[in-house]
Amino acid sequence: MAAITASLFIFLTTELMPIGLLTPLSASLGVSVGSVGLMVTAQGLAAGLGVPFIVAWTRRVNRRRLLTTLLAVLAVGNLITSIAPNYPLILGTRLIMGFASGVSMAMIPSLPSANAVSVREVFELPVRNVPLRLVLVMVVFFVLGHFGAYTLVRPCLEDSTSATVGFITVVLIVFGTGGAIGNFIGGQTVNKSLRGSFIVGGLIMIAAMILWGLAFGVVQLSQINMTLSAAPETFEAAMSLNTMAYNTCIALGALIGGLFADHVGVTSVVWFGIVLVALAVILRASTGRRTTPAI
């Protein structure tokens, strides 16, 4: 469990680190803030599009060995990124690293998974499983909204409040701490009311930046449990689709947020996030308690 926790920390830190460094990276690389956001887009896109194929193709591979290989790819990629002399090389490296980070969910079992399925069966799941399809649509709205706004949080704070580097660092630490607390709270509430946890967490994300991290942790755990409830017999395949939707929407959220920042203004990404998360909450509230997978 300690190894899995540490690995998840490495995967997520690698994927999201540019968010906290968006402004200085923009200045040092000589590109716009929106363009720097493509670092998140490139890795998220590769992770999202590649994971269903990699999970299926490696279904007979020991997950510990797979995780070790993926961590090695990330280590080399991070080294190249740290010494890369130009933006195109960084972007290309992040694209390759995305294929490794997107399979982080595949390390759950230590041996080849008993419920792993082929690529064709993976993509057939949402066609015949209505609850899973609804969960994936909610994930799309939620992740697009969250990461569309969160990717641009530093320039947004700098533009609207003239926040200092120290203050922004504290905000990001508070967000991360809130996410950890939110995961703990979500662990207690999702078993009592999975639907209610998602809706309340989404509403809090809309209502207050201070509680954003905490609410994100609750919603994050809720959507994973909704995926499990929708497809318990094919959880790994369902999670590969979840990961594909999640990471692809991180990519698209960062891309769209960057376009808003460059052409409308950085504060506009906040409203983009509010609208998309609101759509996810409305969809979840309107679908009732359908959690039984389709036959």
Side-chain angles (χ1 to χ4, degrees):
M1 183 60 69
I4 291 176
T5 301
S7 300
L8 283 173
F9 176 82
I10 293 170
F11 281 117
L12 292 174
T13 300
T14 297
E15 185 166 9
L16 302 179
M17 181 62 76
I19 291 174
L21 302 173
L22 218 59
T23 304
L25 282 172
S26 172
S28 64
L29 293 172
V31 295
S32 69
V33 167
S35 296
V36 176
L38 291 176
M39 292 175 63
V40 179
T41 299
Q43 186 160 348
L45 190 63
L49 297 180
V51 63
F53 298 96
I54 297 176
V55 167
W57 291 338
T58 62
R59 63 185 183 272
R60 304 188 191 283
V61 177
N62 183 289
R63 281 347 193 204
R64 291 182 180 177
R65 294 177 183 173
L66 177 61
L67 176 59
T68 301
T69 302
L70 297 176
L71 288 172
V73 171
L74 287 188
V76 173
N78 280 323
L79 176 62
I80 294 174
T81 300
S82 67
I83 62 176
N86 55 63
Y87 180 63
L89 179 57
I90 291 177
L91 205 59
T93 302
R94 297 277 298 181
L95 188 66
I96 295 172
M97 292 166 68
F99 288 102
S101 63
V103 197
S104 57
M105 52 69 57
M107 63 192 164
I108 295 169
S110 61
L111 297 173
S113 175
N115 66 6
V117 297
S118 67
V119 173
R120 179 181 59 81
E121 292 173 301
V122 168
F123 286 106
E124 284 179 352
L125 276 178
V127 176
R128 54 186 172 83
N129 189 323
V130 175
L132 177 61
R133 185 162 67 242
L134 291 173
V135 170
L136 292 176
V137 173
M138 283 183 283
V139 168
V140 167
F141 286 148
F142 158 63
V143 179
L144 272 178
H146 169 73
F147 282 99
Y150 182 63
T151 301
L152 279 296
V153 67
R154 175 166 181 164
C156 185
L157 287 173
E158 290 174 335
D159 183 71
S160 60
T161 66
S162 300
T164 64
V165 173
F167 177 77
I168 292 172
T169 300
V170 171
V171 168
L172 293 176
I173 291 174
V174 168
F175 180 91
T177 303
I181 296 173
N183 276 329
F184 175 78
I185 294 174
Q188 310 303 312
T189 63
V190 294
N191 291 328
K192 298 178 181 178
S193 177
L194 182 56
R195 178 170 174 260
S197 296
F198 184 90
I199 293 172
V200 171
L203 291 174
I204 293 174
M205 286 180 68
I206 296 170
M209 176 70 182
I210 300 299
L211 297 176
W212 190 359
L214 185 151
F216 174 72
V218 174
V219 175
Q220 172 79 340
L221 191 60
S222 296
Q223 61 92 10
I224 291 175
N225 278 269
M226 283 190 287
T227 302
L228 172 59
S229 297
E233 300 301 322
T234 52
F235 178 57
E236 184 171 293
M239 274 306 299
S240 72
L241 290 170
N242 181 295
T243 304
M244 180 181 71
Y246 197 100
N247 283 282
T248 302
C249 287
I250 289 177
L252 292 176
L255 175 62
I256 296 171
L259 292 174
F260 270 91
D262 285 347
H263 299 288
V264 183
V266 291
T267 55
S268 64
V269 300
V270 175
W271 292 108
F272 171 78
I274 288 173
V275 170
L276 268 295
V277 174
L279 287 175
V281 172
I282 292 170
L283 178 60
R284 186 63 186 102
S286 65
T287 53
R289 301 177 179 276
R290 295 187 64 185
T291 57
T292 303
I295 304 299

